[in-house]
């Protein structure tokens, strides 16, 4: 991998992306693992006093004093928090991403080529098929397995690469609360969760090289939450000629991109089977505590619902990226000739920036 970054031809980021994209790459020694930090990794300080233990519990998180947070040399403003969730509480977010958040009025990739009545209840149409799914057989994918992205709050316009005031639906209150606690713990009190893009990956998926710059306020961080199977994440520089750093993202891990790291190129070349060798990471095998605190946003999942979620996650990864679009008091500029409802030209082109790797694959529905 190091030798690849010195070759001519393609830019350094593209070469490393293609290297890790290969299915037969088994040498992952160059991938940073924050569960065993070293080298360019250092401990980051968190703001313990910004989040009460009670509010952390309400969000399904451990007290901030118990979190571990890391930075990377050369990436100011980048913070990596290995799984700070309370045992069992990741299950809530997985269920929300599969059962609740894809519902109308939120927008998903399936809306582009299916009648509205067909996408009203993806969970209801998929749960029995998923529950019965035999991983040893090649079977048709359920609608949930054809889900590639869902947008929340201010809906990203995939054609114009902009947000607009008139394409907005209420942002989920539970996810807003979680995001606010994480942002506050990282020193960003007052963060407002205004837009979310949920990405749904399978073992044959990737997310190509891009920069998240459509938000009007870049002083606020980008928050990223991962659940399910692991992935390799590449974090580069302001130019694609700069070779990226590869790192693992495991279930429950949180990334915060702020400051100078807010506008860096990044990508996900590969989703990996659970490195523990079991169908699901062990952190997903625990149920939430029975005594959730008053006001908790975490809901208990029924065994039936979790069976469906667990079957889905055996070959999938879910990522939630949460953004603040506008600064306090800021408004969208006036636009002419748009209705604010443009969506992705095809289901797999999210964050498209003329990069062939910038897709979920395969391009089927």
């Amino acid at each position: 991998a190091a030798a690849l970054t010195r070759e001519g031809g393609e830019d350094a980021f593209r070469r490393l992306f293609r290297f890790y994209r290969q299915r037969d790459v088994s040498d992952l020694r160059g991938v940073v693992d924050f569960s065993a930090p070293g080298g360019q990794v250092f401990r980051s300080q968190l703001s313990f006093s910004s989040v009460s233990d009670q509010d952390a519990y309400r969000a399904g998180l451990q007290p901030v004093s118990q979190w571990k947070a890391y930075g990377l040399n050369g990436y100011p403003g980048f913070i990596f928090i290995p799984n700070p969730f309370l045992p069992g509480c990741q299950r809530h977010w997985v269920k929300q991403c599969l059962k609740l958040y894809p519902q109308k009025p939120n927008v998903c990739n399936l809306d582009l080529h299916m009648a509205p009545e067909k996408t009203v209840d993806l969970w209801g149409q998929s749960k029995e098929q998923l529950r019965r799914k035999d991983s040893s057989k090649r079977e048709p994918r359920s609608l949930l397995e054809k889900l590639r992205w869902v947008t929340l709050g201010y809906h990203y316009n995939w054609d114009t690469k902009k947000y607009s005031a008139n394409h907005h639906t209420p942002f989920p209150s539970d996810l807003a609360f979680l995001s606010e606690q994480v942002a506050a713990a990282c020193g960003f009190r007052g963060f407002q969760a205004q837009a979310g893009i949920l990405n749904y990956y399978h073992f044959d998926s990737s997310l190509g090289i891009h920069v998240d710059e459509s938000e009007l306020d870049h002083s606020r961080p980008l928050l990223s939450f991962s659940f399910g199977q692991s992935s390799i994440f590449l974090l580069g520089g302001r130019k694609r000629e700069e070779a990226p750093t590869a790192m693992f993202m495991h279930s429950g891990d949180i990334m915060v991109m702020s400051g100078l790291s807010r506008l860096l190129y990044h990508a996900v070349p590969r989703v990996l089977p659970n490195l523990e060798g079991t169908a699901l990471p062990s952190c997903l095998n625990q149920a939430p505590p029975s005594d959730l605190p008053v006001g908790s946003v975490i809901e208990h999942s029924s065994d039936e619902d979790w069976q469906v979620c667990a079957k889905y996650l055996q070959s999938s990864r879910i990522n939630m990226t949460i953004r603040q679009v506008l600064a306090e008091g800021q408004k969208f500029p006036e636009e002419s000739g748009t209705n604010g409802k443009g969506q992705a030209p095809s289901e797999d082109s999210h964050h498209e920036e003329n990069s062939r790797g910038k897709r979920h694959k395969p391009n089927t529905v």
Side-chain angles (χ1 to χ4, degrees), residues 202-256:
H202 305 298
F203 286 139
D204 55 0
S205 301
S206 64
L207 178 66
I209 307 163
H210 69 283
V211 175
D212 290 293
E213 57 186 357
S214 298
E215 296 73 31
L216 275 64
D217 180 14
H218 295 153
S219 69
R220 303 273 88 184
L222 176 75
L223 310 182
S224 171
F225 302 85
S226 289
F227 306 105
Q229 302 297 326
S230 299
S231 70
I232 294 176
F233 179 80
L234 299 179
L235 181 62
R238 294 297 296 267
K239 299 179 180 178
R240 289 175 49 150
E241 288 72 27
E242 298 178 50
T245 296
M247 61 195 81
F248 289 116
M249 288 199 72
H250 302 305
S251 192
D253 290 349
I254 299 174
M255 277 192 329
V256 178

Side-chain angles (χ1 to χ4, degrees), residues 48-81:
F48 299 160
S49 62
S50 296
V51 180
S52 69
D53 290 356
Q54 184 71 6
D55 280 345
Y57 285 136
R58 288 176 59 209
L61 298 164
Q62 299 173 32
V64 177
S65 59
Q66 295 180 21
W67 300 7
K68 293 179 179 177
Y70 300 98
L72 282 173
N73 288 323
Y75 296 95
F78 175 77
I79 304 171
F80 193 103
I81 305 169

Side-chain angles (χ1 to χ4, degrees), residues 98 147-148 198-203 205-207 224-233 248-251 253 255 267-268 270-272 312-321 360:
L98 292 175
L147 200 57
R148 290 294 176 270
L198 315 181
N199 287 319
Y200 300 79
Y201 298 84
H202 305 298
F203 286 139
S205 301
S206 64
L207 178 66
S224 171
F225 302 85
S226 289
F227 306 105
Q229 302 297 326
S230 299
S231 70
I232 294 176
F233 179 80
F248 289 116
M249 288 199 72
H250 302 305
S251 192
D253 290 349
M255 277 192 329
V268 178
R270 188 156 166 213
V271 178
L272 301 164
Y312 176 90
L313 288 183
Q314 285 181 10
S315 59
S316 305
R317 168 183 180 254
I318 298 172
N319 178 254
M320 312 187 299
T321 57
H360 275 311

Side-chain angles (χ1 to χ4, degrees), residues 70-347:
Y70 300 98
L72 282 173
N73 288 323
Y75 296 95
F78 175 77
I79 304 171
F80 193 103
I81 305 169
N83 183 15
F85 288 92
L86 289 168
C89 288
Q90 289 185 51
R91 290 188 175 191
H92 169 84
W93 304 108
V94 172
K95 185 190 72 172
Q96 298 296 77
C97 287
L98 292 175
K99 186 175 182 178
L100 183 67
Y101 298 157
Q103 293 180 11
K104 299 293 167 282
N106 299 329
V107 183
C108 73
N109 62 291
L110 299 179
D111 297 324
L112 304 181
H113 39 70
M114 293 180 69
E117 62 270 17
K118 299 285 189 181
T119 61
V120 168
D121 185 13
L122 302 181
W123 175 270
Q125 296 180 73
S126 305
K127 61 182 182 180
E128 289 306 322
Q129 184 179 346
L130 265 172
R131 193 180 286 114
R132 296 193 307 267
K133 196 173 183 70
D134 185 344
S135 58
S136 65
K137 297 178 181 178
R138 191 171 183 84
E139 301 177 28
R141 285 185 169 180
S142 64
L143 285 179
L144 269 181
E145 292 170 295
K146 295 174 183 177
L147 200 57
R148 290 294 176 270
W149 53 261
V150 168
T151 53
L152 311 171
Y154 287 114
H155 297 282
Y156 185 70
N157 184 315
W158 305 95
D159 295 326
T160 65
K161 300 180 176 61
K162 294 180 180 179
Y163 301 93
S164 65
N166 59 347
H167 195 202
H168 174 270
T169 56
F171 194 93
S173 59
D174 58 347
L175 184 51
F177 185 75
L178 170 70
S179 303
E180 290 159 8
Q181 307 319 305
V182 171
C186 294
F188 296 95
R189 298 184 76 163
F191 175 85
Q192 299 176 50
Q194 297 175 335
I197 297 179
L198 315 181
N199 287 319
Y200 300 79
Y201 298 84
H202 305 298
F203 286 139
D204 55 0
S205 301
S206 64
L207 178 66
I209 307 163
H210 69 283
V211 175
D212 290 293
E213 57 186 357
S214 298
E215 296 73 31
L216 275 64
D217 180 14
H218 295 153
S219 69
R220 303 273 88 184
L222 176 75
L223 310 182
S224 171
F225 302 85
S226 289
F227 306 105
Q229 302 297 326
S230 299
S231 70
I232 294 176
F233 179 80
L234 299 179
L235 181 62
R238 294 297 296 267
K239 299 179 180 178
R240 289 175 49 150
E241 288 72 27
E242 298 178 50
T245 296
M247 61 195 81
F248 289 116
M249 288 199 72
H250 302 305
S251 192
D253 290 349
I254 299 174
M255 277 192 329
V256 178
M257 295 173 69
S258 69
L260 293 178
S261 292
R262 175 63 176 79
L263 296 173
L264 299 181
Y265 279 104
H266 53 280
V268 178
R270 188 156 166 213
V271 178
L272 301 164
N274 177 28
L275 302 181
E276 299 171 8
T278 51
L280 288 181
S282 56
C283 60
L284 290 170
N285 290 330
Q286 299 165 295
S290 57
D291 55 342
L292 292 169
V294 174
S296 175
V297 301
I298 302 298
E299 301 172 349
H300 286 287
S301 300
S302 68
D303 290 342
E304 179 184 10
D305 281 357
W306 180 245
Q307 286 173 13
V308 176
C309 294
K311 186 60 73 76
Y312 176 90
L313 288 183
Q314 285 181 10
S315 59
S316 305
R317 168 183 180 254
I318 298 172
N319 178 254
M320 312 187 299
T321 57
I322 313 303
R323 307 109 190 281
Q324 177 169 336
V325 177
L326 300 167
E328 188 75 38
Q330 188 177 20
K331 294 183 178 180
F332 289 101
E334 291 292 328
E335 293 185 30
S336 59
T338 63
N339 63 6
K341 293 193 176 183
Q343 288 144 26
S346 70
E347 77 157 18

